[in-house]
Amino acid sequence: MLKHLLIVLATTLALTGPAMAQDRLDVVATTGMIADAARVVGGDAVEVRALMGPGVDPHAYRQTRSDIVAMTRADLVLWHGLFLEAQMESFFADLGQERLVVAVADGLPRDVLVAHDDYADRFDPHVWMDPDLWALVVTEVQNALTEAQPENADLFAANAAAHMGDLAALSAYADRVLASVPEPARVLLTAHDAFNYFGAAHGFEVMGIQGISTESEAGLARISDLVDLLVDRNVGAVFVESSVSDRNVRALIEGAAARGHEVIIGGELYSDAMGPDGSYEGTYLGMIDHNVTVIARALGGTAPERGMNGLLSAGM
């Protein structure tokens, strides 16, 4: 059925004219983070659409009919890979027979990846949580854009180089403010295991109520064990995520309160999706700046209230 739909759409495109005839490269990206990289590297040479907006969970996302039309018309489709878009993998395999489709994180060296909790042959996909690793993905985005539009290779290379400088500055800021968090307080507890690369980069112990995928369920035993940890280690703050229900986090807080231990919500973090469209937090730089600043301040570290460049929203 899917292959038939792709053939029909491809035939329609052949009759109406290919997208490549347009001046700007038509790019569709799954996540906001990939779309941001494509916009920054592509500049005025690209038109980029993200399928998954703020608050959307990529682990559970399924393509809509309008998504299928957009991707079939695109010059280039960028997806993350590493089993992040688990519900869309067979679609991309079929689409790759008709269009240029690139999984931008699949080519990362395996020695920099964190093994998946449940599958021996899979890896934690949340590499954007470490700007140094994300820089490798940006390079893959640059390569994909260059393959799709080689005449703009120099533009893409220059834009990517400039962005690498921004990513390096972000990484240095994260190192600095997170190092100010007292060592006993470097415990990051969130709704699901999206922050393993963050923890590895900055020496934080990271725990998620759910596993690497939000499709995994948190049982009562898991909640009980984490309540014990909060009480025994005197952890005072936990964090909610913009793309995951806060139900389990609030159950932890209530469980700790029943034991006489007060735990607050340290803030909302951007895990699998960026902030609102058009905002600083709706860019990759702003997403990570927000997370780093919120975590550092909530756990007793020192960080400027408005973040690295003073651009974070007031009252975050």
Side-chain angles (χ1 to χ4, degrees):
M1 180 65 182
L2 176 57
K3 289 183 178 179
H4 175 72
L5 179 58
L6 290 173
I7 291 170
V8 170
L9 289 171
T11 302
T12 302
L13 289 171
L15 294 174
T16 59
M20 285 295 286
Q22 301 173 2
D23 291 333
R24 302 179 79 185
L25 193 69
D26 183 7
V27 180
V28 173
T30 52
T31 70
M33 293 77 77
I34 298 172
D36 180 75
R39 291 187 184 105
V40 172
V41 174
D44 292 337
V46 302
E47 184 71 34
V48 182
R49 170 180 169 175
L51 298 183
M52 305 176 198
V56 174
D57 177 4
H59 298 282
Y61 190 84
R62 294 180 183 273
Q63 69 276 8
T64 65
R65 184 176 178 85
S66 63
D67 292 341
I68 293 172
V69 172
M71 287 187 280
T72 306
R73 294 181 61 89
D75 302 316
L76 172 63
V77 175
L78 301 174
W79 61 298
H80 187 83
L82 297 178
F83 211 59
L84 177 70
E85 305 98 335
Q87 310 303 321
M88 301 176 70
E89 291 210 340
S90 61
F91 171 78
F92 288 126
D94 289 337
L95 184 64
Q97 305 299 313
E98 305 289 338
R99 279 291 190 258
L100 179 57
V101 178
V102 180
V104 293
D106 267 357
L108 292 180
R110 285 338 190 214
D111 62 349
V112 305
L113 298 177
V114 173
H116 198 289
D117 286 342
D118 302 318
Y119 301 96
D121 59 342
R122 293 178 186 161
F123 301 90
D124 184 338
H126 302 91
V127 295
W128 58 86
M129 289 301 179
D130 179 353
D132 294 334
L133 288 181
W134 189 245
L136 301 178
V137 176
V138 170
T139 297
E140 292 304 310
V141 171
Q142 176 196 344
N143 292 340
L145 292 173
T146 301
E147 181 180 356
Q149 198 175 70
E151 64 270 26
N152 276 320
D154 290 344
L155 171 67
F156 300 150
N159 288 346
H163 193 44
M164 293 300 175
D166 292 334
L167 294 176
L170 178 63
S171 180
Y173 171 76
D175 287 342
R176 184 173 70 253
V177 300
L178 293 167
S180 70
V181 175
E183 287 194 20
R186 294 180 190 176
V187 177
L188 180 65
L189 201 159
T190 60
H192 86 297
D193 261 343
F195 291 84
N196 288 317
Y197 294 100
F198 167 94
H202 303 294
F204 275 64
E205 184 176 357
V206 173
M207 285 162 286
I209 304 172
Q210 294 169 267
I212 287 173
S213 171
T214 56
E215 295 291 273
S216 62
E217 292 292 335
L220 292 177
R222 176 65 173 167
I223 298 289
S224 178
D225 288 345
L226 289 174
V227 168
D228 289 343
L229 181 144
L230 293 175
V231 174
D232 294 345
R233 298 183 57 177
N234 197 31
V235 176
V238 295
F239 298 86
V240 297
E241 301 174 31
S242 65
S243 56
V244 182
S245 169
D246 66 357
R247 181 182 68 254
N248 288 329
V249 174
R250 295 193 180 278
L252 281 184
I253 294 173
E254 291 170 5
R259 299 271 301 275
H261 178 60
E262 181 181 4
V263 178
I264 66 168
I265 292 179
E268 181 181 68
L269 305 179
Y270 299 117
S271 55
D272 290 341
M274 302 192 302
D277 291 336
S279 69
Y280 174 57
E281 291 84 352
T283 67
Y284 175 77
L285 295 177
M287 170 194 191
I288 301 302
D289 187 2
H290 169 93
N291 286 351
V292 165
T293 302
V294 167
I295 291 168
R297 290 173 62 86
L299 296 180
T302 302
E305 182 178 2
R306 301 292 292 275
M308 177 176 67
N309 296 317
L311 296 176
L312 292 178
S313 301
M316 63 174 187

